[in-house]
């Protein structure tokens, strides 16, 4: 018997178990995974938790249909950074997944780590169209939010566990890509740049601040003293005097050389170390212009490419 899932409308071709799995790269949410078909994508706001949710689904029809899902949830205001809040979220997750499932029965729920992140593995059965299905996967905490990697297979599918293990084992984190915002910042003093899509512009806090954009606890700062005598070399010396400079080199931005400095620090009141990349360009008219990108040190590698992409959009008239 061939049928589709009642929960979703299948719009892709019917494909059997022999489908050729291929690597799927996603720079927007920073992961790679092997899937039998190209996934669909949908975005929604979960009002109950005030979370922005992006879901990728690969659906295969046939005698034993199945669905593979990667969901990326990002709280819109306050993320999960402290151990207590992450524990509470992970502990409650399996029950929230089962909510609304017909005759749902929890088979497994255990704490673990996944790709070095706090995680919970879960497995439950439920009925759908009078057939028993198995939903299983891993949810893990990252970037102040979470990612769920899961499969939905028929309980009598002889390939169900093979499909699930292939999905889980293939999933890897990767660096986030820079996706430009449709709106470019044009400062009246002749400085412009394009922030990453989805980042929120914050109010000005410093007279040297041209603009600040943030996403949870990651942020971008664009700064200048608008003093022609203040150069990137002077800025570098200030960082050294503060004991923060750990790596300095020159990079080329279009036809202009820029100074790149990497620093880290443990700010008062924070329980995590922060890493910051500084890109500085000299202008004869207004002096040094500094672009800063900051993220938690443990996940800075995921944001470094995004920061560089945004910095490369910087233009000084």
């Amino acid at each position: 018997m061939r049928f589709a899932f009642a929960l979703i409308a299948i719009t892709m071709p019917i494909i059997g178990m022999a489908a050729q799995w291929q690597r799927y790269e996603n720079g927007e949410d920073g992961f790679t995974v092997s899937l039998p078909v190209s996934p669909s994508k949908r975005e929604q706001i979960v009002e109950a938790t005030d979370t922005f949710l992006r879901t990728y689904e690969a659906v295969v029809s046939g005698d034993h249909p199945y669905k593979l899902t990667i969901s990326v949830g990002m709280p819109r205001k306050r993320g999960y950074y402290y151990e207590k809040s992450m524990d509470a979220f992970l502990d409650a997750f399996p029950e929230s997944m089962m909510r609304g499932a017909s005759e749902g029965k929890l088979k497994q729920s255990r704490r673990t780590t996944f790709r070095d992140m706090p995680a919970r593995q879960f497995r439950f059965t439920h009925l759908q169209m009078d057939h028993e299905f198995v939903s299983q996967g891993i949810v893990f905490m990252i970037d102040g939010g979470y990612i769920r990697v899961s499969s939905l297979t028929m309980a009598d599918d002889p390939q169900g566990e093979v499909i699930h293990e292939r999905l889980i084992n293939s999933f890897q984190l990767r660096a986030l890509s820079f996706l430009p915002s449709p709106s470019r910042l044009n400062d009246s003093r002749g400085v412009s740049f394009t922030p990453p899509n989805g980042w929120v512009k914050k109010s000005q806090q410093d007279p040297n601040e041209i603009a600040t954009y943030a996403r949870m606890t990651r942020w971008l700062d664009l700064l200048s003293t608008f003093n022609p005598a203040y150069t990137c070399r002077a800025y570098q010396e200030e960082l050294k005097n503060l004991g923060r400079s750990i790596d300095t080199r020159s990079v080329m931005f279009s036809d202009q050389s820029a100074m790149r400095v990497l620093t880290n620090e443990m700010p008062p009141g924070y329980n995590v170390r922060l890493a910051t990349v500084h890109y500085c360009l000299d202008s004869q008219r207004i002096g040094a212009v500094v672009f800063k990108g900051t993220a938690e040190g443990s996940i800075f590698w995921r944001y470094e490419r995004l920061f560089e992409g945004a910095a490369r959009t910087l233009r000084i008239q």
Side-chain angles (χ1 to χ4, degrees):
M1 178 179 65
R2 303 176 69 87
F3 62 96
F5 292 108
L7 295 179
I8 54 177
I10 294 183
T11 58
M12 59 188 66
I14 293 176
I15 299 176
M17 179 58 200
Q20 182 67 43
W21 287 51
Q22 296 183 348
R23 197 73 175 161
Y24 172 70
E25 297 267 351
N26 185 295
E28 184 174 19
D29 288 309
F31 67 87
T32 66
V33 68
S34 290
L35 296 171
V37 295
S38 296
S40 62
K41 183 179 85 169
R42 71 175 186 273
E43 298 176 344
Q44 65 185 107
I45 301 297
V46 182
E47 297 293 348
T49 57
D50 197 25
T51 298
F52 179 77
L53 185 65
R54 193 153 35 228
T55 302
Y56 306 88
E57 291 181 338
V59 180
V60 174
S61 296
D63 294 334
H64 292 94
Y66 61 92
K67 178 174 69 173
L68 308 179
T69 303
I70 295 94
S71 289
V72 182
M74 186 62 61
R76 293 198 293 175
K77 293 180 181 178
R78 180 174 298 177
Y80 305 101
Y81 292 102
Y82 294 93
E83 185 175 351
K84 186 175 181 179
S85 64
M86 289 191 288
D87 286 347
F89 176 87
L90 291 172
D91 292 346
F93 193 84
E95 292 293 338
S96 69
M97 281 285 294
M98 291 177 58
R99 197 171 297 131
S102 176
E103 298 189 30
K105 298 177 182 178
L106 186 63
K107 300 295 184 180
Q108 182 187 51
S109 176
R110 70 179 185 90
R111 282 296 299 269
T112 183
T113 58
F114 185 70
R115 304 301 179 252
D116 297 324
M117 303 295 177
R120 180 167 289 276
Q121 186 175 0
F122 63 89
R123 176 188 176 97
F124 65 92
T125 61
H126 61 98
L127 293 181
Q128 187 171 307
M129 296 173 59
D130 297 323
H131 289 268
E132 187 178 38
F133 281 81
V134 176
S135 180
Q136 59 181 321
I138 288 178
V139 56
F140 64 96
M141 313 305 296
I142 188 168
D143 297 347
Y146 68 90
I147 296 179
R148 168 173 62 96
V149 186
S150 63
S151 66
L152 178 65
T153 59
M154 294 185 70
D156 63 356
D157 186 348
Q159 295 293 323
E161 289 302 317
V162 174
I163 292 168
H164 178 72
E165 290 301 319
R166 187 169 188 176
L167 171 72
I168 296 298
N169 292 336
S170 71
F171 185 93
Q172 298 290 338
L173 294 170
R174 54 154 283 181
L176 294 162
S177 297
F178 169 65
L179 301 178
S181 167
S183 301
R184 185 170 175 83
L185 172 78
N186 293 291
D187 185 78
S188 60
R189 293 163 290 188
V191 180
S192 66
F193 95 110
T194 302
N197 193 36
W199 287 53
V200 178
K201 192 174 188 296
K202 299 298 184 178
S203 58
Q204 186 174 354
Q205 301 292 327
D206 187 299
N208 296 328
E209 183 181 296
I210 300 173
T212 294
Y213 287 81
R215 183 186 182 193
M216 303 296 289
T217 59
R218 278 74 66 186
W219 62 90
L220 304 173
D221 293 303
L222 189 58
L223 309 167
S224 180
T225 61
F226 293 95
N227 177 2
Y230 185 80
T231 65
C232 290
R233 187 63 61 187
Y235 180 72
Q236 180 190 24
E237 288 301 316
E238 284 187 10
L239 293 176
K240 285 184 177 180
N241 291 337
L242 291 172
R244 295 179 183 175
S245 178
I246 61 174
D247 179 63
T248 303
R249 65 174 183 262
S250 295
V251 295
M252 289 300 298
F253 280 8
S254 185
D255 59 348
Q256 184 173 0
S257 176
M259 177 184 294
R260 177 191 180 276
V261 182
L262 184 63
T263 64
N264 61 38
E265 62 177 313
M266 183 78 79
Y270 278 71
N271 67 334
V272 295
R273 183 169 295 278
L274 300 178
T276 301
V277 61
H278 312 246
Y279 292 99
C280 186
L281 285 79
D282 279 319
S283 166
Q284 291 184 348
R285 183 176 63 86
I286 61 175
V289 177
V290 178
F291 175 98
K292 295 168 52 180
T294 301
E296 300 93 316
S298 61
I299 59 170
F300 180 78
W301 66 271
R302 276 176 54 83
Y303 286 86
E304 192 169 6
R305 182 186 299 179
L306 180 151
F307 291 151
E308 181 177 342
R312 288 186 177 278
T313 71
L314 180 61
R315 298 292 181 271
I316 306 171
Q317 295 179 0

